[in-house]
Amino acid sequence: MSKHALVQIQKINKFYGSNHVVRDLTLDVREGEFLTILGSSGCGKTTTLRMVAGFEQPTDGKIFVGGVDMAEKEPYERDVNTVFQSYALFPHMSVFGNIAYGLRMKRIPKKEIRKRVMDILDLVQLGGFERRMPAQLSGGQKQRVAIARALINRPKVLLLDEPLSALDLKLRKQMQLELKRLQRKLDITFIYVTHDQEEALSMSDRIAVMHDGMLEQVGVPKEIYEAPASKFVATFIGETNLFEGMVSAVDGDAVSVAVESGTICGRAEGFQKGEVVAVSVRPERMRYSTSPVKGFTIQGVVREQIYVGSVLKSIVVLPNGHEIKLERLAGDVLPMDGPVYLSWQPQDARLIHPRDQEVYHAVETAVME
Amino acid sequence: MSKHKFRASTLPVLATVGPVSLWLAFFVAIPLLYVLVMSFCSIDENYNVVFQFTLANYRNLLDVNYLQIYVQSILIAFFATAFCLVLGYPFAFLISRTFQSRKTILYMMVIIPFWTNSLIRIYGWRTFLGASGWLNRALTALHLIDSPVEFLFNRGATVLGMAYVLFPFMVLPLYTAIEKLDQSQLEVSADLGARGGATFFNVVLPQTVSGVFSGCIMVFIPSLGYFYVADILGGGNSDVIGNLIERQFQSGNNWPLGAALSIILIAVTLLLVKLYQKCGGDMQSLGV
Amino acid sequence: MRRKKSERLRRRAGAVYCGLIYAFLFLPIVVIVVNSFNATESKPYLSWKGFTFDWYGRLLQNAALLDSFRNTLLLAAVSTILSTIIGTIAAVGMFKYRFRGKSVIDALLYIPVVIPEIVLGIALLTLFATVNIPRGMLSLVLAHVTFCIPFVIFNVRARLDGYDQSIEEASMDLGVGRLKTFFHITLPVLAPGIGGGALLAFTLSIDDVIVSYFTNGQTKTFPLKVMESIKSGVAPDVNALSTLILVFTVLLVVLTQSGLIRRLRRKR
């Protein structure tokens, strides 16, 4: 089966007055995939989702679902269903009434409605709850009802707007697994909006990172984590240390970058001497030694070590005051307050081209969560 | 695109707010503006309204007899309001501080009398207070008086009637305001050593003052207009501004003068409402 | 010990005080009910001439009085229905949409609530006279709907506080059009507010004296009939009718209230 694009979002823009909330967004969602739109609040991710659902109209640009232009389609004419952040259960209807609502309005025979509702209740593990009212349900149960209600119409695409944000941590983890299981079982395309990067990494086939109304990067979780395309993606997904500097030497794919505190190494292609770049190194890839490593000259002082069970988190302070974060396996203790040299395998550093609009200071910054 | 926009945003607004806008325009805005226009109109010898500009109606408002009635009307409204507030505040406080189950019944019992027409109830007061009424008979039978006392046909009787008819409009906002008070605040205040009076003035009153204001507005303003109360209980001796207006539109038949008198009432109303808003009053609590 | 005593004393004083206020509120009602059993035949029907049920029977022969009562019921029913429909959709529209002139509508809504009724009455009278709307049931309905609409809107608006609009989106999302969504989702959820508003509108309409007085023409409502009869003394059959209305409404409320309680219990 060819995995062609089921939802095509083409160069859409959305203005609220003079507020430009979605900028030139183009994104294809493939049939049967679990795509997460990830971003902080106010980045335009929910607006994008609402435009696909039809609750908002793009100021310009087009959206296609299954090849059909959605511009003239009302929400009730679209083959997509939504799970709302607030669940939006109908308070005056029972669980059964909520789930059956869409079918009843389509005048589907009572018997079939009953069967389909019962089947889907089993699917979301709410068998026996059909007569409860929404006010009598817990948050997790409401969540399941909302999902069942959206799935009963057998939509081509299910849109989920931060559906787990109101649940507590434990329940959230459990629901993540369940959602993933449901999606695989039903083979429905999910577009999932969240601000939680861990949730995005663990559930998605692909992640689309949004920032300030723009799409920063689209890719599988591993790509997003290991090869961030922008400074924002590097810092938003997981923890990282960012250095900013200038390419001082290129030798094949080995690149040396001069930063304020010294010289560092990375492995990348397509960079030229003299170019201004950012270098991202994940804390768990950081290494230290008491003597300089070839290609690296940055030196710092161990400031703090925090033991968190599986790993030991350390903070190294550079001469200019910036803090670098390290993560090592527990047990491997650094000399407190002693000078250390920082290094990493060149392939563990990610070199990032600056964006035009990003103001550059030729200094290194360590960004911590 | 434009068809969609119409269906999604323009049509729903028109369909929902259109009827009420038209209604308010035709039956509130236009009539009131028309009253304003009419207050500057003249009348011909047959008392027909003539659209000829004049200030005569407003000049006539300054007639000494009228001025007396304005003062009398405001005094009646003031005393009726004071009566309602003084009796209503403790009452609202007491019923809003009882148990939940009893509270609903006590609250309903304030409303129940109002399902009987107010005219008949006012007439009931007349039956009770009249020269050969129940009260006089009882007092005579008890030998407390020799000849019947005339309780009716004076300003006091009108004040009583106004206060009676408008009493719930004082109690209900007070009840709402007091009910919102947190019981623990009273306990904290007592705990900190405040006596009952101090607790009331420092804790209770400041938080219920909005209820006091809206109650006063809801009693004072209608009191200026309830002409039938002044008719039935005051017997022509304690007319309010409403009586003056009523006369111009019924027997007197000088509509422009009646319109000018109405403008006074509108002006007083606007002034009080502005004052109310200045004091931090919320328009919404005047509604229900 | 002494504290307990003073506390009890204070409680008792409070109960006595409330009792006196209720006596004040119910005193005229007692007068009305008692006079409905008064056997007197002479105007102004004030002196007590013994107990009788006659007036309740004679009520049925007083065609003019029954007519006025029918008018009142008809007027209240039509005004309630119209003002509830207009007010409900207006409250929903004003809650959901932003549009120009909203503050004007908001301000206009408060006018019938705060201005003395007599001003609204004469304003409508001058309008009806000028544009030649016949004074009668039609003008009465127009007038009553006018002062009922704001109260319906305020009641529904109170219910809309804390109303989650996404349930309407959820309905549309499930393939249901705007109009059907309104009837199946919005309306049922707002029903308590709408019911409260309708009840208030009905009460206001049935009790209205002043606005009706200026806009009725030849059509007599029950309150206007009473007003007419006051000069010559209110006959006991009017008291009898008032008593019946009171008993009926109290019964209605008691029944609906207790029914409501029972239904709530069953749900638990």
Side-chain angles (χ1 to χ4, degrees), chain A residues 50 55 74-76 80-82 84 86 88-93 101-102 105 136 149 153, chain C residues 164 166-178 180-181 184-185 188-189 267-268:
Chain A
R50 290 172 60 81
F55 305 132
E74 293 281 353
Y76 46 86
V80 297
N81 285 123
T82 309
F84 291 82
S86 63
L89 298 184
F90 308 132
H92 58 301
M93 294 182 191
Y101 179 76
M105 294 293 138
Q136 301 166 314
R149 186 180 65 180
N153 275 354
Chain C
D164 179 10
S166 58
I167 61 172
E168 287 171 18
E169 290 182 347
S171 167
M172 291 210 274
D173 192 65
L174 293 166
V176 182
R178 277 175 226 287
K180 263 182 146 181
T181 295
H184 284 101
I185 302 298
V189 172
K267 236 168 221 167
R268 290 237 174 92

Coordinates of all heavy atoms in Angstrom, one line a residue, chain A residues 50 55 74-76 80-82 84 86 88-93 101-102 105 136 149 153, chain C residues 164 166-178 180-181 184-185 188-189 267-268:
Chain A
R50 N -7.1 23.3 14.2 CA -8.5 23.8 14.0 C -8.8 24.2 12.6 O -9.9 24.1 12.2 CB -8.7 25.0 15.0 CG -8.8 24.6 16.4 CD -8.8 25.8 17.4 NE -10.0 26.6 17.1 CZ -11.2 26.3 17.6 NH1 -11.4 25.2 18.3 NH2 -12.2 27.1 17.3
F55 N -12.8 24.6 12.0 CA -13.3 25.6 13.0 C -12.7 26.9 12.7 O -13.3 28.0 13.1 CB -13.0 25.2 14.4 CG -13.5 23.8 14.8 CD1 -12.7 22.9 15.4 CD2 -14.8 23.4 14.5 CE1 -13.1 21.7 15.8 CE2 -15.2 22.2 14.8 CZ -14.4 21.3 15.4
E74 N -17.7 22.9 5.5 CA -18.0 23.2 6.9 C -17.4 22.1 7.7 O -17.2 21.0 7.2 CB -19.5 23.3 7.1 CG -20.1 24.4 6.4 CD -20.0 25.7 7.2 OE1 -19.5 25.7 8.3 OE2 -20.4 26.8 6.7
P75 N -17.2 22.3 9.0 CA -16.7 21.2 9.9 C -17.5 19.9 9.8 O -16.9 18.9 9.8 CB -16.8 21.8 11.3 CG -16.8 23.3 11.1 CD -17.4 23.5 9.8
Y76 N -18.8 20.1 9.6 CA -19.6 18.9 9.6 C -19.6 18.2 8.2 O -20.3 17.2 8.1 CB -21.1 19.2 10.0 CG -21.7 20.4 9.4 CD1 -22.3 20.4 8.2 CD2 -21.6 21.7 10.1 CE1 -22.9 21.5 7.6 CE2 -22.1 22.8 9.5 CZ -22.8 22.7 8.3 OH -23.3 23.9 7.7
V80 N -13.0 14.3 9.1 CA -12.0 14.3 10.2 C -12.8 14.5 11.5 O -13.8 15.1 11.5 CB -11.0 15.4 10.0 CG1 -10.2 15.3 8.8 CG2 -11.7 16.8 10.0
N81 N -12.3 13.9 12.5 CA -12.9 14.1 13.8 C -11.9 14.5 14.8 O -10.7 14.2 14.7 CB -13.7 12.8 14.3 CG -15.0 12.6 13.5 OD1 -15.2 11.6 12.9 ND2 -15.8 13.7 13.6
T82 N -12.4 15.2 15.9 CA -11.5 15.8 16.8 C -11.7 15.3 18.2 O -12.8 15.1 18.6 CB -11.7 17.3 16.8 OG1 -11.7 17.8 15.4 CG2 -10.6 18.1 17.6
F84 N -11.1 16.9 21.8 CA -10.8 18.2 22.3 C -10.0 18.2 23.6 O -10.1 17.2 24.4 CB -12.1 18.9 22.5 CG -12.8 19.3 21.3 CD1 -13.6 18.4 20.6 CD2 -12.7 20.6 20.7 CE1 -14.3 18.7 19.5 CE2 -13.4 20.9 19.5 CZ -14.2 19.9 18.9
S86 N -10.5 19.9 26.2 CA -11.4 19.9 27.3 C -12.4 18.8 27.3 O -13.4 18.7 28.0 CB -12.2 21.2 27.3 OG -13.0 21.3 26.2
A88 N -14.9 18.2 25.9 CA -16.2 18.7 25.2 C -17.3 17.6 25.2 O -18.0 17.5 24.2 CB -15.9 19.3 23.8
L89 N -17.4 16.9 26.3 CA -18.5 15.9 26.3 C -19.8 16.7 26.5 O -19.8 17.7 27.1 CB -18.3 14.9 27.5 CG -17.0 14.1 27.4 CD1 -17.0 13.1 28.5 CD2 -16.9 13.3 26.0
F90 N -20.9 16.1 25.9 CA -22.2 16.8 26.1 C -22.7 16.5 27.5 O -23.0 15.3 27.8 CB -23.2 16.3 25.0 CG -22.6 16.4 23.6 CD1 -22.7 15.3 22.7 CD2 -22.0 17.5 23.2 CE1 -22.2 15.4 21.4 CE2 -21.5 17.6 21.9 CZ -21.6 16.6 21.0
P91 N -22.8 17.5 28.3 CA -23.1 17.2 29.7 C -24.5 16.6 30.0 O -24.7 16.0 31.0 CB -23.0 18.6 30.4 CG -23.2 19.5 29.3 CD -22.7 18.9 28.0
H92 N -25.4 16.8 29.0 CA -26.8 16.3 29.2 C -27.0 15.0 28.6 O -28.2 14.5 28.6 CB -27.8 17.3 28.6 CG -27.6 17.6 27.2 ND1 -26.4 18.0 26.6 CD2 -28.4 17.4 26.1 CE1 -26.5 18.2 25.3 NE2 -27.7 17.8 25.0
M93 N -26.0 14.3 28.1 CA -26.1 13.0 27.5 C -25.3 12.0 28.3 O -24.2 12.3 28.7 CB -25.7 13.0 26.1 CG -26.6 13.9 25.2 SD -26.0 13.7 23.5 CE -26.9 15.0 22.7
Y101 N -24.2 10.0 19.4 CA -24.7 11.2 18.9 C -24.5 11.3 17.4 O -25.5 11.6 16.6 CB -24.1 12.4 19.6 CG -24.5 13.7 19.2 CD1 -25.8 14.2 19.5 CD2 -23.7 14.5 18.4 CE1 -26.2 15.5 19.1 CE2 -24.1 15.8 17.9 CZ -25.3 16.3 18.3 OH -25.7 17.5 17.9
G102 N -23.3 11.2 16.9 CA -23.0 11.3 15.5 C -23.8 10.4 14.6 O -24.2 10.7 13.6
M105 N -27.6 11.3 14.5 CA -27.9 12.4 13.6 C -27.8 12.0 12.2 O -28.4 12.6 11.3 CB -26.9 13.5 13.9 CG -27.0 14.1 15.3 SD -28.6 15.0 15.5 CE -29.1 14.5 17.1
Q136 N -20.1 12.0 36.1 CA -19.8 10.9 37.0 C -18.5 10.2 36.6 O -18.3 9.1 37.1 CB -21.0 9.9 37.1 CG -22.3 10.6 37.5 CD -23.5 9.7 37.2 OE1 -23.6 9.1 36.2 NE2 -24.3 9.5 38.2
R149 N -16.1 8.7 21.0 CA -17.0 9.5 20.3 C -16.5 10.0 18.9 O -17.2 10.0 17.9 CB -17.4 10.7 21.1 CG -18.5 11.5 20.5 CD -18.9 12.7 21.4 NE -17.8 13.7 21.5 CZ -17.9 14.8 22.2 NH1 -19.0 15.1 22.8 NH2 -16.8 15.6 22.2
N153 N -17.4 7.6 14.0 CA -17.7 8.0 12.7 C -16.7 7.4 11.7 O -16.8 7.7 10.5 CB -17.8 9.5 12.5 CG -19.1 10.0 12.9 OD1 -20.0 9.3 13.2 ND2 -19.2 11.3 12.9
Chain C
D164 N -19.0 25.7 27.9 CA -17.9 25.3 27.1 C -18.3 25.2 25.6 O -19.0 24.3 25.2 CB -17.3 24.0 27.6 CG -16.1 23.5 26.8 OD1 -15.6 24.3 26.0 OD2 -15.7 22.4 26.9
S166 N -16.8 24.5 23.1 CA -16.3 23.4 22.3 C -17.2 22.3 22.1 O -17.1 21.5 21.2 CB -14.9 22.9 22.8 OG -15.0 22.5 24.1
I167 N -18.3 22.2 23.0 CA -19.2 21.1 22.8 C -20.0 21.3 21.5 O -20.4 20.4 20.8 CB -20.2 20.9 24.0 CG1 -21.1 22.1 24.2 CG2 -19.5 20.5 25.2 CD1 -22.2 21.9 25.2
E168 N -20.2 22.6 21.1 CA -20.8 22.8 19.8 C -19.9 22.5 18.6 O -20.3 21.9 17.6 CB -21.2 24.3 19.7 CG -22.4 24.7 20.5 CD -22.6 26.1 20.6 OE1 -22.2 26.9 19.7 OE2 -23.3 26.6 21.6
E169 N -18.6 22.8 18.8 CA -17.7 22.4 17.8 C -17.6 20.9 17.7 O -17.5 20.3 16.6 CB -16.3 22.9 18.1 CG -16.2 24.4 18.0 CD -14.9 25.0 18.2 OE1 -14.0 24.3 18.8 OE2 -14.6 26.2 17.9
A170 N -17.7 20.2 18.9 CA -17.7 18.8 18.9 C -18.9 18.2 18.1 O -18.7 17.3 17.3 CB -17.7 18.2 20.3
S171 N -20.0 18.8 18.2 CA -21.2 18.4 17.5 C -21.0 18.6 16.0 O -21.3 17.7 15.2 CB -22.4 19.2 18.0 OG -23.5 19.0 17.2
M172 N -20.5 19.7 15.6 CA -20.3 20.0 14.2 C -19.3 19.0 13.6 O -19.4 18.5 12.5 CB -19.9 21.4 14.0 CG -21.0 22.4 14.2 SD -20.9 23.8 13.2 CE -19.8 24.8 14.2
D173 N -18.3 18.8 14.5 CA -17.2 17.9 14.1 C -17.7 16.5 13.8 O -17.2 15.8 13.0 CB -16.2 17.8 15.3 CG -14.9 17.2 14.9 OD1 -14.2 17.7 14.0 OD2 -14.6 16.1 15.4
L174 N -18.8 16.1 14.5 CA -19.4 14.8 14.3 C -20.4 14.8 13.2 O -21.1 13.8 13.0 CB -20.1 14.3 15.6 CG -19.1 14.1 16.8 CD1 -19.9 14.0 18.1 CD2 -18.3 12.8 16.5
G175 N -20.4 15.8 12.4 CA -21.2 15.8 11.2 C -22.5 16.4 11.3 O -23.4 16.2 10.5
V176 N -22.8 17.2 12.3 CA -24.1 17.8 12.6 C -24.0 19.3 12.2 O -23.1 20.0 12.7 CB -24.5 17.6 14.0 CG1 -25.9 18.1 14.3 CG2 -24.5 16.1 14.3
G177 N -25.0 19.8 11.5 CA -25.0 21.2 11.0 C -25.3 22.2 12.2 O -25.6 21.8 13.3
R178 N -25.2 23.5 11.8 CA -25.3 24.5 12.9 C -26.7 24.5 13.5 O -26.8 24.6 14.8 CB -25.1 25.9 12.3 CG -23.7 26.2 12.2 CD -23.5 27.6 11.4 NE -22.4 27.4 10.4 CZ -21.1 27.4 10.8 NH1 -20.8 27.5 12.0 NH2 -20.2 27.2 9.8
K180 N -29.1 22.1 13.7 CA -29.3 20.9 14.4 C -28.5 20.9 15.7 O -28.9 20.5 16.8 CB -28.9 19.7 13.6 CG -30.1 19.0 12.9 CD -29.6 17.8 12.2 CE -30.6 16.6 12.2 NZ -30.0 15.5 11.5
T181 N -27.3 21.4 15.6 CA -26.4 21.5 16.8 C -27.1 22.4 17.8 O -27.1 22.1 19.0 CB -25.0 22.1 16.4 OG1 -24.4 21.2 15.6 CG2 -24.2 22.4 17.6
H184 N -30.0 20.4 19.4 CA -29.6 19.2 20.2 C -28.6 19.4 21.3 O -28.5 18.6 22.2 CB -29.1 18.1 19.2 CG -30.2 17.4 18.4 ND1 -30.5 17.7 17.1 CD2 -31.2 16.5 18.8 CE1 -31.5 17.1 16.7 NE2 -32.0 16.3 17.7
I185 N -27.8 20.4 21.1 CA -26.7 20.6 22.1 C -26.9 21.9 22.9 O -27.1 21.9 24.1 CB -25.3 20.6 21.4 CG1 -25.1 19.4 20.7 CG2 -24.2 20.9 22.4 CD1 -25.1 18.1 21.5
P188 N -30.6 22.2 24.9 CA -30.8 21.4 26.1 C -29.8 21.8 27.3 O -30.2 21.7 28.4 CB -30.4 20.0 25.6 CG -30.6 20.0 24.2 CD -30.3 21.4 23.7
V189 N -28.6 22.2 26.9 CA -27.7 22.5 28.0 C -28.1 23.8 28.7 O -27.9 24.0 29.9 CB -26.2 22.6 27.4 CG1 -25.3 23.2 28.5 CG2 -25.8 21.2 27.0
K267 N -31.6 9.7 39.9 CA -30.4 9.7 39.1 C -29.2 9.2 39.9 O -28.3 8.5 39.4 CB -30.1 11.1 38.6 CG -30.0 11.1 37.1 CD -30.0 12.5 36.5 CE -30.9 12.6 35.3 NZ -31.2 13.9 35.0
R268 N -29.1 9.6 41.2 CA -28.0 9.2 42.0 C -28.2 7.7 42.2 O -27.4 6.9 42.1 CB -28.1 9.8 43.4 CG -27.8 11.2 43.3 CD -26.6 11.7 44.1 NE -26.4 13.1 43.7 CZ -27.0 14.1 44.3 NH1 -27.7 13.9 45.3 NH2 -26.7 15.3 43.9

